Amino acid sequence: MPSFSHFFETLVSNKGLFIDAMLLTLKLTAVSILFGIIIGLFFALLKISRSKILSFISDAYVYLVRGTPLIVQIFILYFGISGIFLIPDFWAAALALAFHNGAYIAEIFRGTIQSIDKGQMEAGRSLGMSKGLAMRRIILPQAFRRALPPLGNQFIIGLKDSSLAAFISMNELFNVATTLGSNNFDEMTYLLIVAVYYLVLVALLTIIVRLFENRLAVSDR
């Protein structure tokens, strides 16, 4: 184990590289989560539709994503699509993470949408709203409030899963740590440093999600 003085000196001397890597990690996480929410909501709506075919498509997507490792999905997207046309490593990782997160987010949205009392949809329809309008204005806002805590957990998982982008040579936090560790024959110190960065990012993300939860809880009173 490295001494505290050595750890602190290494942390300070490499802060520029790690901050750049942290910003890339945050960008990758934000883009993948944004697209993951869109994908997840889309497949959640397919699942709760009356069409058995659309419901089957949603089930197949969720099963496919849950049944295969994320690293395999990243490699298939990066190397498979790159064989057809060139795709930057950032977008390969971001799309793979979005595709992966979307399956779990779909199940979160499906559960929260179905937890809303059916009478609210009927009330919206009785006021002359179409089913789509009632879903947008009545059901989805309530479902999102209920989904926020599990979504927060999924965001944290997505942040940590972004470290797998290192395997397609993206200079995010984990790749920078392992590269510096190998170059300086001091892997443990750099792994501890990257662990600190992830702990800080997870703490900040947790605080942000809780602030949103509290704000939405206040608005409901």
Side-chain angles (χ1 to χ4, degrees):
M1 292 291 291
S3 64
F4 178 77
S5 59
H6 174 64
F7 172 83
F8 185 74
E9 180 183 347
T10 306
L11 175 65
V12 173
S13 61
N14 292 279
K15 64 179 181 180
L17 290 172
F18 275 105
I19 288 175
D20 287 343
M22 179 187 68
L23 293 175
L24 180 58
T25 295
L26 288 173
K27 180 181 177 183
L28 176 62
T29 303
V31 171
S32 63
I33 289 297
L34 176 61
F35 282 101
I37 289 174
I38 296 171
I39 293 171
L41 181 58
F42 174 74
F43 280 98
L45 294 175
L46 291 188
K47 175 61 180 176
I48 64 175
S49 69
R50 295 180 179 179
S51 170
K52 291 184 178 180
I53 295 176
L54 296 180
S55 180
F56 173 78
I57 291 173
S58 178
D59 285 338
Y61 162 67
V62 172
Y63 177 77
L64 175 66
V65 170
R66 287 184 167 184
T68 56
L70 174 55
I71 187 63
V72 174
Q73 296 165 18
I74 292 175
F75 272 42
I76 288 175
L77 192 61
Y78 182 65
F79 293 107
I81 294 182
S82 294
I84 303 173
F85 59 89
L86 187 62
I87 179 172
D89 53 4
F90 174 85
W91 284 106
L95 292 175
L97 287 167
F99 182 78
H100 184 83
N101 287 320
Y104 294 90
I105 293 173
E107 286 298 284
I108 293 172
F109 279 136
R110 178 196 60 77
T112 55
I113 290 172
Q114 291 182 330
S115 72
I116 305 299
D117 189 275
K118 293 181 179 179
Q120 298 202 36
M121 172 62 77
E122 295 172 359
R125 296 299 298 276
S126 68
L127 293 174
M129 293 184 181
S130 65
K131 187 175 181 180
L133 185 60
M135 178 67 72
R136 275 199 321 271
R137 293 189 176 179
I138 299 175
I139 306 300
L140 288 182
Q142 296 180 72
F144 180 76
R145 291 188 184 97
R146 296 186 183 186
L148 195 53
L151 280 177
N153 291 332
Q154 189 59 42
F155 296 165
I156 291 172
I157 293 170
L159 171 65
K160 293 185 290 185
D161 282 347
S162 68
S163 61
L164 293 176
F167 291 96
I168 56 173
S169 302
M170 272 194 65
N171 287 323
E172 45 71 61
L173 279 170
F174 183 69
N175 190 28
V176 168
T178 53
T179 301
L180 290 174
S182 298
N183 292 342
N184 294 281
F185 303 100
D186 191 11
E187 288 86 356
M188 183 56 70
T189 300
Y190 288 96
L191 288 174
L192 289 174
I193 289 173
V194 79
V196 169
Y197 272 91
Y198 276 115
L199 286 170
V200 171
L201 290 177
V202 168
L204 291 174
L205 187 54
T206 301
I207 291 171
I208 292 171
V209 170
R210 286 180 180 173
L211 288 174
F212 273 107
E213 288 180 23
N214 294 335
R215 184 171 183 179
L216 289 176
V218 170
S219 66
D220 284 341
R221 293 174 186 171

